[in-house]
Amino acid sequence: MTLLQKIQHLESYLHQSNESYSDTFKADILLYFNEDFTEENPQFEFLKELQSKEAIEQKVDFLLSQFVIKFDSEQETEDDFIHYYLAQ
């Protein structure tokens, strides 16, 4: 997959809703990327390591699960939280 294809899949996956509590955090992730889903956005560096649609979805699902389990709005911002988990 090209980087652009990965970005497009990520955007599409973030817009899908399963109507679960974790889906509410997808909006925060979209805002993290400033709704700039282009190859010029340096925030997509993490996608270079991921080689498939499934890997991208697993990364997002992991981030969403961490939001549910660990996010503490009194201790950190959504952007810091997202940045930390996408870098892993």
Side-chain angles (χ1 to χ4, degrees), residues 24-67:
T24 61
F25 297 106
K26 286 182 176 179
D28 293 316
I29 299 170
L30 287 166
L31 287 174
Y32 172 78
F33 294 119
N34 299 316
E35 305 244 358
D36 177 14
F37 286 85
T38 64
E39 293 176 277
E40 289 76 33
N41 187 338
Q43 294 170 308
F44 292 117
E45 282 294 313
F46 76 97
L47 287 174
K48 291 180 179 178
E49 300 172 12
L50 306 175
Q51 301 305 317
S52 67
K53 290 179 179 181
E54 293 80 19
I56 294 167
E57 292 170 13
Q58 288 174 349
K59 187 79 162 181
V60 170
D61 291 344
F62 175 75
L63 174 57
L64 293 172
S65 71
Q66 295 308 297
F67 255 116

